[in-house]
Amino acid sequence: MSIWRRISDFITSTAIDAFSSVIEAVRTTFEGDPETRRRVAFSIAMIALSAKMAKADGVVTQVEINAFNDIFDVPQQYQGQVTRLYNLAKQDVAGYEAYAAQLASLCGSGQRNCKMLEDILDGLFHIAKSDGALHDKELIFLGTVAEIFALDEEEFDRILARHVGRGQADPYVVLGLPRDVSFETARRQYRTLVRENHPDMLIARGVPEEFIAIANHRIAAINAAWDRVEKDLKAFEPV
């Protein structure tokens, strides 16, 4: 059963009038099914952060809502219930820090090395940039979420670089490479990144299948960066 069917059935069968009551309802409704509870809690908390992210610059635009739908790829028959959750989160007085902390807690003691948190931040960047610019308030939002996720400055800069205009992004930063890297080392790093960010790997580490659009965006950015780095390094290879 898809995550959206699970969420739709949950919302339909649960009396919810505020987003703060959603999380507690998830805990009790899926108490005997921890795997489904984790996936539903992940998705609902991500919906909340997306709604808060869209409001960070002061206004929620249709472009940002479309970006949310691009990342989540919600089937038509479930969009009404997901939109209801999204609107409840927008209206909730709770700060986004609480939802970010909840997402981080899904990783338990391995939070610092939890790739799933990088996946979430990628989705938030996609929504933030959808109106053509990353605003100062959005960057503060994203930076705070990254701190709560225990992502260091280098990791944050790498994610940021993936979302800069394709022609402006520093390909070495996108790939996490030093300027004096050898061609063979750079190629190994590129192959590692492609392997780690394959959609199957995201699913294996707990990201719902419906969230895999993030992997496709990330792989495209990694491939574009490698094209530039490969040409750059080959130009300096000894003949």
Side-chain angles (χ1 to χ4, degrees):
M1 184 182 296
S2 77
I3 192 65
W4 304 121
R5 172 70 181 277
R6 292 281 191 185
I7 290 174
S8 179
D9 289 349
F10 164 70
I11 296 301
T12 300
S13 62
T14 307
I16 294 172
D17 55 7
F19 198 90
S20 56
S21 64
V22 173
I23 304 304
E24 184 57 35
V26 169
R27 290 195 185 99
T28 57
T29 301
F30 299 104
E31 186 173 5
D33 187 351
E35 175 63 18
T36 299
R37 181 175 60 187
R38 182 190 59 76
R39 293 178 67 230
V40 171
F42 173 95
S43 301
I44 287 178
M46 186 65 210
I47 290 169
L49 277 181
S50 298
K52 297 291 188 182
M53 176 75 255
K55 289 186 66 178
D57 60 355
V59 68
V60 180
T61 67
Q62 186 60 47
V63 171
E64 288 167 326
I65 294 173
N66 291 342
F68 169 84
N69 290 330
D70 178 36
I71 285 294
F72 281 93
D73 191 22
V74 183
Q76 182 67 38
Q77 65 265 39
Y78 305 128
Q79 286 183 2
Q81 298 290 21
V82 173
T83 298
R84 181 185 173 194
L85 280 179
Y86 188 85
N87 289 334
L88 280 173
K90 281 195 303 182
Q91 298 159 9
D92 192 11
V93 296
Y96 65 88
E97 297 90 346
Y99 300 125
Q102 182 189 39
L103 282 167
S105 72
L106 293 175
C107 292
S109 60
Q111 177 180 338
R112 182 168 293 279
N113 298 313
C114 185
K115 285 288 187 180
M116 184 176 65
L117 299 178
E118 184 174 335
D119 302 330
I120 293 164
L121 199 60
D122 244 358
L124 296 176
F125 262 101
H126 178 78
I127 292 168
K129 72 175 185 181
S130 62
D131 60 357
L134 280 171
H135 303 281
D136 290 343
K137 289 182 180 179
E138 290 172 328
L139 282 173
I140 292 171
F141 178 104
L142 293 162
T144 302
V145 170
E147 289 179 6
I148 294 170
F149 285 177
L151 299 175
D152 61 30
E153 186 175 347
E154 182 179 344
E155 290 171 307
F156 182 83
D157 288 344
R158 187 166 62 248
I159 298 170
L160 173 62
R162 286 202 296 263
H163 292 275
V164 174
R166 188 63 58 85
Q168 303 172 31
D170 186 327
Y172 288 87
V173 175
V174 171
L175 299 177
L177 297 171
R179 295 287 170 180
D180 59 352
V181 68
S182 69
F183 178 82
E184 286 303 321
T185 298
R187 183 164 60 181
R188 281 197 300 271
Q189 171 71 349
Y190 162 68
R191 289 174 174 173
T192 297
L193 289 174
V194 170
R195 183 172 61 253
E196 288 180 348
N197 293 289
H198 189 277
D200 288 346
M201 291 297 292
L202 269 72
I203 293 172
R205 61 183 179 242
V207 176
E209 292 182 19
E210 294 82 357
F211 200 64
I212 296 307
I214 282 179
N216 297 328
H217 288 292
R218 188 184 300 173
I219 288 293
I222 290 170
N223 285 336
W226 172 244
D227 286 344
R228 293 171 62 190
V229 168
E230 182 181 31
K231 291 175 183 176
D232 186 26
L233 295 179
K234 281 189 172 181
F236 290 97
E237 278 192 311
V239 178

